[in-house]
Amino acid sequence: MIKLSELYSGKAKTVFKTDNPEKLIMEFRDSLTAFDGKKKSEAPKKGYYNAQIAAKLLQLLEEKGIKTHFDSMLSGTEMVVDAVDIIKIEVIVRNIAAGSLTKKYPFKTGQKLDPPILLFDYKSDEHGDPMINEDIALALGLATKAELAKIRKLALSINSILIDYLDERNLMLPDFKLEFGRRKGKIVLADEISCDTCRFWDKTTGESLDKDVFRFDKGDLVAAYREVARRIVPEIFKKK
Ligand code: 5GP
């Protein structure tokens, strides 16, 4: 596979075209931003840990019957993915109240949400990713009613799979963000699942092991990401 020109560069990943029009390369970078890009930094190996965590979790979901855009790893930080038509909705699944939910509503941080809460944000930097409902998604033509129903079902299935998997690794999953795309008429899971897009809390101590370490200056970000990688992809730490 030949890496061609850059297609898109986001806050933490760059997407490249390849010589196969059906495949793209998603490169995980060491940069990170928070609060609509107002806070910026670089963290060595962050891209590597996130890429490895995302690869493992996307493959786990594939094994459990969820269609994803994952194809293979080209290097430690480069993931080959299927080209999909991205649906401009950020799907947020919440199992425990944290972050913006506790700012906007009278939920207490740490409060269990059972059944989980599913929220949709309009994926648009220009508009500041505002929360939307199904009517707005339909009126904006972001997805059809059938696609929204499918996305909801997939997000809840993904949530159950991840909760069980992470629980065995002594991690809680308070919330996370998913993105979906269309490929050959089907809805597939796209983007990443990593420390940048999930809240991971240590089950014993409640310590944040995710981007909140950066957002709220809670300590050593790379150490937190490495710790999650140690639990999810222990094989990358084995001496060869
Ligand atoms: P909150 O709404 O509390 O800021 O975020 C809820 C969850 O969704 C967190 O796990 C957060 O990482 C994820 N999330 C929400 N919006 C975004 C986004 O625009 N980018 C990333 N990387 N994660 C997001």
Side-chain angles (χ1 to χ4, degrees):
M1 170 158 301
I2 303 167
K3 192 172 175 180
L4 298 178
S5 60
E6 184 180 309
L7 187 65
Y8 165 81
S9 189
K11 292 169 195 134
K13 297 194 296 295
T14 306
V15 179
F16 295 89
K17 288 186 201 168
T18 72
D19 54 335
N20 179 347
E22 303 242 331
K23 303 284 176 190
L24 300 172
I25 293 170
M26 204 161 79
E27 184 173 353
F28 289 71
R29 305 196 319 265
D30 288 342
S31 48
L32 70 168
T33 69
F35 308 119
D36 287 333
K38 285 184 202 93
K39 187 168 177 173
K40 286 186 193 163
S41 191
E42 287 280 321
K45 290 202 101 172
K46 173 238 169 203
Y48 172 68
Y49 293 133
N50 265 353
Q52 296 300 314
I53 292 164
K56 186 69 171 262
L57 295 179
L58 290 172
Q59 287 175 92
L60 165 78
L61 293 170
E62 283 278 351
E63 280 162 24
K64 302 276 184 187
I66 307 279
K67 289 267 162 285
T68 81
H69 69 161
F70 182 83
D71 178 285
S72 56
M73 291 307 281
L74 190 64
S75 72
T77 56
E78 293 168 302
M79 184 184 287
V80 180
V81 297
D82 293 325
V84 302
D85 164 27
I86 288 283
I87 295 172
K88 293 203 161 300
I89 299 175
E90 295 187 343
V91 180
I92 319 261
V93 185
R94 296 182 178 274
N95 298 303
I96 300 171
S100 68
L101 195 74
T102 60
K103 291 212 177 64
K104 292 181 188 161
Y105 309 95
F107 290 108
K108 291 214 164 60
T109 300
Q111 183 180 336
K112 204 165 183 323
L113 306 167
D114 190 14
I117 294 176
L118 215 139
L119 295 167
F120 291 155
D121 284 353
Y122 174 37
K123 185 176 156 60
S124 164
D125 285 340
E126 187 193 340
H127 296 92
D129 293 354
M131 190 193 293
I132 56 172
N133 64 9
E134 200 169 309
D135 283 1
I136 294 182
L138 291 172
L140 285 173
L142 302 178
T144 65
K145 215 173 166 64
E147 285 175 333
L148 292 172
K150 176 83 185 167
I151 285 172
R152 174 173 274 278
K153 208 168 151 220
L154 283 170
L156 292 173
S157 301
I158 291 165
N159 187 39
S160 302
I161 295 166
L162 292 179
I163 285 177
D164 289 349
Y165 184 82
L166 294 166
D167 184 68
E168 288 167 15
R169 285 148 185 88
N170 211 41
L171 288 170
M172 290 190 277
L173 181 65
D175 53 42
F176 59 103
K177 186 243 332 171
L178 298 172
E179 292 182 25
F180 293 88
R182 302 178 187 93
R183 179 172 157 79
K184 297 182 177 165
K186 292 238 157 59
I187 300 287
V188 301
L189 179 64
D191 199 46
E192 67 183 298
I193 305 177
S194 73
C195 294
D196 276 6
T197 63
C198 301
R199 283 198 168 90
F200 295 127
W201 291 353
D202 182 273
K203 225 170 100 182
T204 312
T205 64
E207 182 191 0
S208 288
L209 296 170
D210 54 57
K211 202 164 131 181
D212 274 355
V213 174
F214 169 66
R215 290 188 188 103
F216 306 112
D217 301 314
K218 289 181 173 201
D220 185 343
L221 174 102
V222 178
Y225 282 39
R226 190 190 307 120
E227 182 53 33
V228 173
R230 255 186 228 291
R231 298 188 199 187
I232 293 179
V233 272
E235 57 274 20
I236 66 172
F237 297 94
K238 293 215 174 89
K239 287 220 172 77
K240 282 177 198 134

